[in-house]
Amino acid sequence: MNYDDLITLTADVGCLLLANGAEIYRVEESMQRIFRAYGVNTGEIFAIPTCINVTITTPAGKPVTLIRRIPVRGTNLDKVERGNDLCRRICRDRPDFQAVRRELDQIERRPVYGLLFQVLAFAMVAFFFTLFYGGDFTDAYWAMLCGAAIKIVCHHMNRFHANPFFVNIVASFAAAALAMIAAQFNFALDTDKVIIGALMNLVPGIAITSFMRDLIAGDLMAGLIRFTESMLVATAIAIGAGIALTITRMIWGV
């Protein structure tokens, strides 16, 4: 048994899950199951949203440790599902490491939805949330434009690897400014409903759910990290919208 290859491969599976939005307990349990599938019962795993630390002890008593940082995280439940399926097949069939590596590479190369589809999705989210919060169809149509603007701004800023905090500020600013400009040109808009509906695209709903699950599961550090991330996103949204409203009122005196 090549324990270096085993720990590297197991860490790769854990990183795939964690980087795409899996819960901490799911990552740690999946890695433990892989170790046990290959006859290693001495695995110790500590995972937080930004890092995985894993150690196994060989039969000779030699510890093998690997630390893997997760610099970029997102939400891709398709990859999480396929990573879970890969983990189950590893535990059932115990394939050789090269076969697992090929599966991992295939999952990593899975295509994502194109920009146009994502822009439409953001627009529809804004449309229906505006109606949900009591806006009329005119508000909802303008919210669609604001939602599309959010995705376009996020896409172009992410191409330059901008800080997520500032990405959220700029995207929130763009949506709120567009709504306020439309209102100033005599479109009968309830700007509060339009802005709230559009900004729901930026609300970290999955992160909020995940940090509650982490806290309940006893992963206190991971839960607090995700809670802090959620609060920073909320703060960025508020700052961006607040700047847009302040500038608009200064220009038009309202």
Side-chain angles (χ1 to χ4, degrees), residues 193-205:
K193 302 294 192 303
V194 174
I195 294 172
I196 292 172
L199 294 184
M200 287 303 294
N201 281 291
L202 298 175
V203 173

Side-chain angles (χ1 to χ4, degrees), residues 204-232:
I206 294 179
I208 293 172
T209 304
S210 295
F211 90 69
M212 289 300 298
R213 294 188 67 174
D214 288 339
L215 291 176
I216 292 171
D219 297 313
L220 301 181
M221 186 175 294
L224 290 175
I225 289 173
R226 281 183 165 153
F227 172 76
T228 303
E229 289 179 338
S230 301
M231 292 301 99
L232 286 173

Side-chain angles (χ1 to χ4, degrees), residues 175-186:
L178 182 58
M180 295 299 293
I181 290 171
Q184 292 302 318
F185 282 96
N186 297 320

